[in-house]
Amino acid sequence: MNGSGSVESFILVINSGSSSLKFALYHSLNMHRQWSGQITGIATPHGLMELTDSHQRVHLCDEAIYRNQEDAALAIISWISNNHKFCEIAGIGYRIVQGGKYHRKPELITDALLSELAELIYLAPDHLPDELRLIRKFREEFPKTPHFACFDTFFHQDMPEHIKNYPLPEKFRNQGLVRYGFHGLSYEYVLQKLDKECSGIHQKKMIIAHLGIGSSMTSVSDCKGFDTTMGISPLGGMMMSTRSGDLDPGAILFILKNNDITVEELEVILSRQSGLKAISGIADLQEIIKYAGEDAKSKLALDMFCYQAVKSIGALAAGMGGLDMLIFTGGIGEHSSLIREQICTGLAFMGIRLDRSLNHQSNRIISHRDSGVNVRIIPTNEEWMIASHTKNLLQTQNLSCRKSQKKL
Ligand SMILES: Nc1ncnc2c1ncn2[C@@H]1O[C@H](COP(=O)(O)OP(=O)(O)O)[C@@H](O)[C@H]1O
Ligand SMILES: CC(=O)OP(=O)(O)O
Ligand SMILES: [Mg+2]
């Protein structure tokens, strides 16, 4: 309850990524973030729940064992019921990585939607199973609250036909084998933020590099997603912590022909045993950077990651016919000056020049004043974007309720 005695109303956001479970509580009226938190180390002996208040003060940093996502969900539910007993949860919004051909726009979660998403698990096996488990758990606990799905693919829905399609027989395209693109909630947030800090973004050709455990890049023209590095699944594009990224299709055939493995085993190899981990033995880029001075494998992994980033930016810029602005986001993009420097050094031929000191300080703008391309850092906030979609859907739902009441 607030000071005036009325019940406070919140939007709860659940963002389940490949490596963590992030959550946040936003006031439904003014969209202020009251709490944010994350649970990491799920299914390891080193589970950790962290909670931060609206003033960025850390309130909780509790070690515990979370056997699975359900355990993590229960911890969030118990924290809400202990600390927000007298509050209303007006709606719950979830990040859903892949909704296939028919689900891109944010929408109300129904039993039918959950069944359809369960059929798409093979397209995002590292994300969808946990996302679905979490939704089921929260629906059980909050049966009267509307729950909403916010898809990572929505942002990319306007990709032009010549970019969206794979050169494969029509039969497969009709089955939904097209390029979807991911990290869309992050890109949408970054663009909204950029619009507030910079004028005329509609005229700018931009690339946003979301570099984290999962990494992708997108080119943006006229404020719309034009092209992106990931395709039908979050396995594609650049190499990542444990994902291979794009491969010659011959490489997949090679593995299958030379090894007695099932498709499921191949899936695990491509998603959990490849990328940086396959090259250096370490999945975490921050760790790799520590060892790169003396360990050749770590140095190789680092160089491969940066080379692929340079190549992706070059290709995306060529596809768009130029580049005015490059934006770094995601855990690596926001925090690693070394990675940003190595990538931008490789792009000097395009007129990109960093200001070393601004880059070192992780300033908002990090390009040199003589740079041909403006280079920025914008910390992403997928949770805010999910809350914003949830609020919009709650409003339209209320409107349609009122309309149908009127009819009666
Ligand atoms: N200072 C840093 N230098 C290099 N990598 C960093 C740094 N800080 C965070 N990272 C990396 O960011 C990644 C996490 O990114 P994040 O976007 O938060 O993850 P997720 O993809 O799970 O949302 C980890 O690989 C971590 O090592
Ligand atoms: C789409 C994707 O790769 O997501 P994440 O970064 O959460 O793994
Ligand atoms: Mg992420």
Side-chain angles (χ1 to χ4, degrees):
M1 225 173 291
N2 62 19
S4 64
S6 55
V7 173
E8 282 185 293
S9 168
F10 292 99
I11 289 171
L12 172 64
V13 172
I14 302 294
N15 176 4
S16 162
S18 53
S19 68
S20 62
L21 173 56
K22 295 176 184 161
F23 58 98
L25 268 185
Y26 288 84
H27 271 283
S28 335
L29 286 181
N30 57 22
M31 290 293 281
H32 282 160
R33 188 171 67 188
Q34 184 83 357
W35 291 100
S36 64
Q38 66 169 356
I39 297 181
T40 49
I42 298 167
T44 76
H46 310 289
L48 185 68
M49 177 164 172
E50 292 163 284
L51 266 176
T52 308
D53 69 11
S54 54
H55 303 287
Q56 302 300 325
R57 282 186 302 239
V58 176
H59 269 251
L60 184 79
C61 196
D62 261 2
E63 285 183 33
I65 294 198
Y66 303 98
R67 289 166 303 171
N68 45 38
Q69 294 270 336
E70 274 102 334
D71 273 2
L74 283 174
I76 298 171
I77 291 161
S78 117
W79 172 75
I80 292 175
S81 53
N82 290 336
N83 295 277
H84 294 83
K85 232 179 248 157
F86 303 112
C87 298
E88 179 205 27
I89 302 292
I92 307 183
Y94 304 82
R95 172 184 179 221
I96 306 285
V97 160
Q98 175 60 295
K101 265 210 285 195
Y102 302 112
H103 303 282
R104 283 185 182 246
K105 261 170 89 168
E107 64 178 287
L108 182 71
I109 295 174
T110 59
D111 291 341
L113 175 65
L114 292 183
S115 312
E116 278 187 61
L117 294 179
E119 298 293 315
L120 298 174
I121 282 176
Y122 71 102
L123 290 179
D126 283 343
H127 294 84
L128 268 180
D130 282 339
E131 289 167 0
L132 294 177
R133 270 193 278 273
L134 283 168
I135 294 173
R136 290 204 179 94
K137 197 83 220 155
F138 278 96
R139 280 180 101 209
E140 260 168 50
E141 290 295 325
F142 297 91
K144 293 196 180 125
T145 307
H147 300 246
F148 300 101
C150 302
F151 298 97
D152 242 358
T153 52
F154 178 47
F155 178 81
H156 306 284
Q157 67 174 357
D158 294 321
M159 273 200 287
E161 287 296 312
H162 70 285
I163 294 176
K164 196 165 77 184
N165 284 295
Y166 287 112
L168 287 167
E170 195 178 0
K171 173 179 155 188
F172 303 122
R173 281 182 270 143
N174 292 340
Q175 289 170 352
L177 179 49
V178 293
R179 301 184 62 236
Y180 290 89
F182 300 89
H183 291 129
L185 292 157
S186 171
Y187 294 136
E188 211 182 335
Y189 175 80
V190 166
L191 275 185
Q192 289 202 3
K193 194 83 184 151
L194 184 68
D195 196 26
K196 293 206 176 91
E197 59 181 61
C198 173
S199 63
I201 64 165
H202 276 271
Q203 282 79 49
K204 297 217 177 354
K205 291 179 173 144
M206 299 181 260
I207 291 176
I208 308 172
H210 177 114
L211 307 178
I213 301 275
S215 294
S216 76
M217 294 190 186
T218 198
S219 54
V220 179
S221 174
D222 197 16
C223 273
K224 283 197 201 129
F226 183 71
D227 194 356
T228 188
T229 51
M230 283 178 172
I232 189 172
S233 80
L235 277 180
M238 298 178 56
M239 70 188 282
M240 292 165 242
S241 288
T242 61
R243 295 176 227 162
S244 64
D246 284 352
L247 297 170
D248 176 342
I252 310 277
L253 299 175
F254 180 102
I255 298 173
L256 286 174
K257 283 179 182 164
N258 287 298
N259 299 274
D260 185 20
I261 55 169
T262 63
V263 172
E264 288 71 29
E265 284 165 338
L266 180 58
E267 198 169 86
V268 172
I269 293 169
L270 297 176
S271 64
R272 302 201 201 139
Q273 297 169 5
S274 298
L276 296 167
K277 189 177 177 189
I279 302 298
S280 69
I282 307 168
D284 186 330
L285 196 58
Q286 205 167 359
E287 287 288 301
I288 291 175
I289 291 170
K290 276 192 218 154
Y291 297 115
E294 67 261 21
D295 176 46
K297 287 183 182 168
S298 296
K299 171 88 171 63
L300 176 62
L302 182 67
D303 288 347
M304 282 174 72
F305 183 83
C306 292
Y307 175 77
Q308 293 206 3
V310 168
K311 203 163 126 175
S312 300
I313 292 168
L316 289 171
M320 209 171 25
L323 183 64
D324 301 308
M325 199 181 274
L326 170 64
I327 300 152
F328 287 100
T329 194
I332 299 167
E334 290 163 28
H335 303 294
S336 178
S337 56
L338 183 132
I339 297 289
R340 291 191 302 258
E341 184 176 338
Q342 190 160 335
I343 293 173
C344 289
T345 302
L347 294 164
F349 78 100
M350 284 170 63
I352 294 184
R353 229 182 117 196
L354 283 192
D355 180 308
R356 289 196 83 181
S357 135
L358 295 180
N359 181 41
H360 218 75
Q361 295 158 32
S362 292
N363 207 50
R364 197 162 53 88
I365 298 178
I366 55 173
S367 44
H368 192 272
R369 58 188 146 74
D370 296 336
S371 177
V373 175
N374 185 261
V375 188
R376 291 175 184 243
I377 301 169
I378 299 186
T380 197
N381 193 341
E382 290 160 322
E383 291 73 42
W384 190 89
M385 211 57 245
I386 298 166
S388 165
H389 284 306
T390 302
K391 185 176 163 118
N392 289 342
L393 284 166
L394 278 170
Q395 278 169 343
T396 43
Q397 271 216 329
N398 277 343
L399 285 178
S400 61
C401 271
R402 271 187 230 142
K403 266 191 203 154
S404 55
Q405 275 168 5
K406 256 188 182 172
K407 269 191 218 153
L408 291 172

